[in-house]
Amino acid sequence: MTARIGVVTFPGTLDDQDALRAARLAGAEPVSLWHRDKDLKQVDAVVLAGGFSYGDYLRAGAISRFSPVMETIIEQAKAGMPVLGICNGFQILTEAHLLPGAMLRNNHLHFICRDQKLRVENAGTAWTSDYTEGQEIEVPLKNMDGRYVADERVLDELEAEGRVAFRYLDVNPNGSLRDIAGITNAAGNVVGLMPHPEHAVEPLVGTGKTDGLGFFTSILKKLVNA
């Protein structure tokens, strides 16, 4: 059986086609999901792709959180379905309270686009098992509201429970607290990160490396072996 990975498109989503291609390259069956449709089309996992859903009005991800598809995704994520939020998708996951904390405007108040080094801190999630703890990878980063914040209690809890999934290396590009680039929920099925692994899956585009493909091969192995 081929695993089916759904990618949600909201108004303003930019990277849905890239995420669908990444899923295909990993060996999964990519499935397009529309934000106004509650039906997840029997997918096994969901990716909330990057972009500027609803133009980032109010706050990044604040309106998308109330799209009909999110009602089903929230329910299924709490039941164990793997969900990956990339950039704007990460913002939506925090707005939906599937992940703690919030995303604020970059501390330098400028849009940033660069190849970004990351360190893998947690290789035990549904989306990171093809990496090793401490591994350094490089994937593109592009955001305006990428500064991860949370109160000290939440930050300490994330650290103590090993729920910081990725940290920025060499430079903190947006002022995220404790250099956090991505986090996971306690169950390890929901992961959010600001950089874009779907732009680093083919050697001819993005960074010229395939460091991001591990997200998609990880979930494929998780689903096939489930």
Side-chain angles (χ1 to χ4, degrees), residues 1-48:
M1 183 185 75
T2 302
R4 291 165 55 86
I5 298 180
V7 178
V8 180
T9 300
F10 299 92
T13 296
L14 301 179
D15 302 305
D16 45 349
Q17 294 304 310
D18 301 79
L20 288 164
R21 185 176 68 250
R24 184 181 300 109
L25 287 171
E29 178 184 349
V31 179
S32 296
L33 301 175
W34 182 237
H35 73 113
R36 293 187 60 84
D37 190 353
K38 291 184 179 181
D39 182 9
L40 297 184
K41 300 181 181 179
Q42 297 181 312
V43 298
D44 303 296
V46 170
V47 176
L48 301 179

Side-chain angles (χ1 to χ4, degrees), residues 4 82 121 132 138 169 201 216:
R4 291 165 55 86
E121 301 282 24
T132 57
E138 187 173 8
L169 283 182
V201 295
F216 301 92

Side-chain angles (χ1 to χ4, degrees), residues 158-182:
L158 290 174
E159 300 277 14
E161 296 179 1
R163 290 171 54 195
V164 176
F166 297 90
R167 286 189 215 272
Y168 297 115
L169 283 182
D170 295 345
V171 62
N172 185 324
N174 44 38
S176 290
L177 297 181
R178 304 194 188 183
D179 298 329
I180 291 174

Side-chain angles (χ1 to χ4, degrees), residues 43 47 66 69-70 95 122 140-141 152 154-155 160 175 201 225-226:
V43 298
V47 176
F66 293 102
V69 72
M70 287 304 299
E95 290 288 340
N122 185 335
L141 171 76
E152 287 298 310
V154 170
L155 291 171
V201 295
N225 294 328

Side-chain angles (χ1 to χ4, degrees), residues 111-115 140-143:
F111 179 84
I112 188 167
C113 182
R114 55 170 284 137
D115 292 342
L141 171 76
K142 50 177 186 173
N143 64 68

Side-chain angles (χ1 to χ4, degrees), residues 14-19 21-22 50-51 86-87 113 115 138-142 194-213 216:
L14 301 179
D15 302 305
D16 45 349
Q17 294 304 310
D18 301 79
R21 185 176 68 250
I86 303 170
C87 195
C113 182
D115 292 342
E138 187 173 8
V139 296
L141 171 76
K142 50 177 186 173
M194 285 310 297
H196 287 263
E198 79 282 13
H199 294 330
V201 295
E202 297 175 285
L204 293 179
V205 296
T207 60
K209 302 177 182 179
T210 58
D211 290 3
L213 191 60
F216 301 92

